[in-house]
Amino acid sequence: PAVNAPTRPSIVASLPFAHNAGTTMATIPHENDVLLGRGEIINLHPGNVFFRSIVDGQKTVFRAATQRNQKRRLALSIMDELGRLDPPGRFLIERPNDGNV
């Protein structure tokens, strides 16, 4: 029997970060978005794969940082890198159960 390929969620909410604090919106994820959650669909999404590669490349620097503000700057630089992609990457989460965003 054929195995159904996983599909990505079609309705998600944008998490409130500095550029859109306090807002959520309905959207369809694109290839640069980081989808928050668990499972194969989330794990294999291209934006998540790219995000993990950036994080993996910075682990040594992060572990070597001795001050909280150094670690924060590194995390913000990773978020900035996602924001500079075309289209810009976003951190998205699916809103459960209500069908609305």
Side-chain angles (χ1 to χ4, degrees), residues 31-73:
E31 69 276 6
N32 294 331
D33 288 335
V34 177
L35 306 180
L36 303 182
R38 297 175 58 141
E40 184 178 15
I41 295 168
I42 302 296
N43 194 39
L44 297 178
H45 183 72
N48 291 49
V49 173
F50 180 69
F51 177 69
R52 283 194 309 275
S53 73
I54 296 172
V55 170
D56 286 345
Q58 296 296 326
K59 281 184 180 178
T60 303
V61 176
F62 187 84
R63 289 181 181 138
T66 57
Q67 297 179 352
R68 180 181 285 176
N69 66 341
Q70 293 171 318
K71 293 183 179 208
R72 180 174 171 78
R73 280 195 306 263

